[in-house]
Amino acid sequence: MTVVLITGGAGFIGSAIVDAALAHGYTVRVLDSLRADVHGPASVLPHVPGSERGFGAGNARPAGLDPRVEFVHGDVTDPATVARSLAGIDVVCHQAAKVGLGVDFADAPDYVHSNEVGTAVLLAAMTESGISRLVLASSMVVYGEGSYRGPNGPTRPGPRLASDLDAGRFDPVDPETGQALEPVLVTETDPLDPRNVYASSKLGQEYLARAWARSTGGRVAALRYHNVYGPGMPQNTPYAGVASLFRSAIERGEAPRVYEDGRQRRDFVHVRDVAAANVAALEFTAWEGSAHSGAVRPFNVGSGIVHTIGDMATALAAATAGSLAPIVTGQYRLGDVRHITASSERLRTELGWSAQVSFEDGMREFATAPLRAAVRP
C-alpha cells in the first residue's frame, strides 16, 4: 500500500487532498505546523497520547482530521521534524506554504522562509531518504499577467500603470496601436513573470524542485492552481482569496465589494476537483520509466471555463437569501493582474483529469458552506 506524506494536510486544500487520497486507498501521514494565522486556536484538539504513533513533534492534532491519518505537528522548515515525517514514505504531496498576496512587503521574509526554505529542507530530506516522487502545489501567479492576442499576434503586456488604473483604464492595450488586447487561455509553455513576493516564492519552489529532480532523477508534477474555492476556505483574512472575502462579507450581511469594474477574467476551480488533480498527479509520479524523470512537469489546474470576478460575486449573492447585490467600487490593488485563465488540456490528456463541479453548482454550495473561523493575520 502506497504511503503519502501530505505537508500542509490540515489546511484548506490539503485536507481535501487527505480525503481524496484515503478514498483512493493511500495510507496518509500529514505534516502541519497549525500556524495561528491560518488555523486559529479553535481548530486544534488536545494531544491524545499515542495518536501520532511516535511521529509527533508537538502536543496538538487538528480538529476533524480522519483518525486513520498519522499526524505530525511540526514545521516543514525544521530538518529534524521533516526527517521523522519521511520515515516509510513513498511519495510526497507538498502543500505547505504561506499563500495569498499578503499585506505589504514586510511579509517577504515569511514568504521566502515558509515557501522556499521549507521546500529546500523537504527536498534535502527526501534525497537522504531515497524518496524520488513529488507532487508540488504551485500557482497561476507564476505567470503574472495572463496571455493576450494583439494586432501583431500573441503578446504579454507589462504591469499596468497606476495612472491608467486611476483613470479607470483597466484592460491592457497594445503599446504601439493603443488597441485593446484579447485575453486568451494561458498554457504551461507560456512565459513566467511573477509580480509579487508570493508569486516569486512559488516559482522559487518550482526551480528548487527542478534542481532536485535533475540531481536525483526524481519525478515532479507541479500543479499550478488557478482560483480555488469551496467549503472550508479560511475566512476574512488578507491572505485568503477573493472568493473567501466575498463569502465572508455575505456571512456578515454585507454586500461583496468588487474591485475595478468586476470584469477581471478568472478560472474558478472547486477544491474537490483540485484534490482529484493531486491524486492523478500522485499516480503520474509513479509511472516507471517516465519520460519526465529528472524533470518537473507543470500542469495547470483550472475548470477550463472563463468567468469574471463580478460573475462570482453575483452568483454568491444570488444563492443566499437576503444577500445584498455586489458593489463595484472601481478600486484597485497595484500589482493585481487583469485577466488570467487556464488551459488545463495537458492535465486532461496526460493524466485523464477534468473538473467535475460546475461553476453554478459550486457557487450554490459555497454560498452557504462553512468556512474556517476568522484568524489573526
Side-chain angles (χ1 to χ4, degrees):
M1 185 174 292
T2 302
V3 185
V4 56
L5 174 68
I6 303 176
T7 70
F12 164 49
I13 296 175
S15 59
I17 298 170
V18 167
D19 292 341
L22 289 171
H24 280 79
Y26 286 87
T27 297
V28 177
R29 184 180 302 152
V30 163
L31 168 63
D32 203 299
S33 65
L34 303 179
R35 47 186 290 169
D37 62 347
V38 176
H39 296 274
S43 64
V44 179
L45 293 178
H47 171 62
V48 177
S51 65
E52 289 126 354
R53 303 182 189 179
F55 291 101
N59 60 355
R61 182 179 175 91
L65 185 65
D66 191 291
R68 293 172 290 175
V69 174
E70 291 180 335
F71 178 67
V72 181
H73 182 201
D75 200 290
V76 74
T77 62
D78 177 57
T81 300
V82 172
R84 286 196 300 273
S85 302
L86 290 174
I89 292 296
D90 299 305
V91 57
V92 175
C93 184
H94 184 33
Q95 306 294 314
K98 183 179 176 71
V99 302
L101 188 60
V103 177
D104 55 38
F105 202 82
D107 286 327
D110 194 12
Y111 276 111
V112 172
H113 183 72
S114 298
N115 299 355
E116 298 190 62
V117 174
T119 300
V121 169
L122 175 66
L123 293 172
M126 288 174 64
T127 303
E128 291 296 315
S129 300
I131 300 169
S132 62
R133 298 166 54 194
L134 175 69
V135 176
L136 174 67
S138 187
S139 172
M140 67 176 189
V141 297
V142 300
Y143 296 111
E145 185 69 58
S147 293
Y148 293 80
R149 185 180 296 112
N152 298 313
T155 184
R156 293 293 298 277
R160 297 179 294 172
L161 302 176
S163 57
D164 286 334
L165 298 172
D166 287 336
R169 295 188 293 269
F170 300 122
D171 284 303
V173 298
D174 181 75
E176 295 181 2
T177 67
Q179 295 180 20
L181 300 175
E182 176 190 357
V184 297
L185 301 182
V186 67
T187 71
E188 292 86 352
T189 59
D190 281 7
L192 305 177
D193 183 20
R195 296 189 178 183
N196 56 56
V197 172
Y198 170 58
S200 176
S201 71
K202 295 307 289 183
L203 185 55
Q205 288 182 298
E206 287 198 26
Y207 284 154
L208 285 165
R210 190 178 305 277
W212 171 80
R214 287 174 175 168
S215 174
T216 66
R219 297 186 293 279
V220 183
L223 303 184
R224 293 173 178 167
Y225 302 155
H226 284 248
N227 291 77
V228 186
Y229 73 97
M233 283 194 83
Q235 180 184 157
N236 200 34
T237 155
Y239 304 100
V242 66
S244 176
L245 298 178
F246 289 167
R247 173 67 177 74
S248 298
I250 288 171
E251 191 161 287
R252 296 192 303 267
E254 301 172 3
R257 298 180 63 83
V258 181
Y259 277 21
E260 301 186 19
D261 58 3
R263 297 176 184 170
Q264 306 95 306
R265 293 160 56 102
R266 296 292 188 269
D267 188 322
F268 299 104
V269 58
H270 196 279
V271 68
R272 289 195 295 273
D273 285 329
V274 172
N278 274 269
V279 172
L282 289 171
E283 298 299 322
F284 168 80
T285 63
W287 294 351
E288 295 296 334
S290 168
H292 304 301
S293 294
V296 174
R297 187 66 169 168
F299 296 92
N300 287 335
V301 183
S303 71
I305 300 175
V306 175
H307 289 92
T308 68
I309 288 180
D311 289 341
M312 181 182 63
T314 299
L316 287 175
T320 308
S323 292
L324 301 174
I327 298 172
V328 178
T329 68
Q331 295 172 275
Y332 64 86
R333 293 190 305 181
L334 195 62
D336 276 355
V337 299
R338 176 61 172 173
H339 303 300
I340 181 163
T341 51
S343 167
S344 297
E345 182 64 16
R346 175 183 288 182
L347 189 56
R348 186 186 69 80
T349 57
E350 295 187 12
L351 276 63
W353 174 94
S354 62
Q356 300 299 305
V357 181
S358 71
F359 177 81
E360 293 75 17
D361 289 345
M363 289 299 161
R364 276 194 297 270
E365 175 197 34
F366 183 52
T368 56
L371 301 179
R372 290 173 182 258
V375 296
R376 177 183 54 82

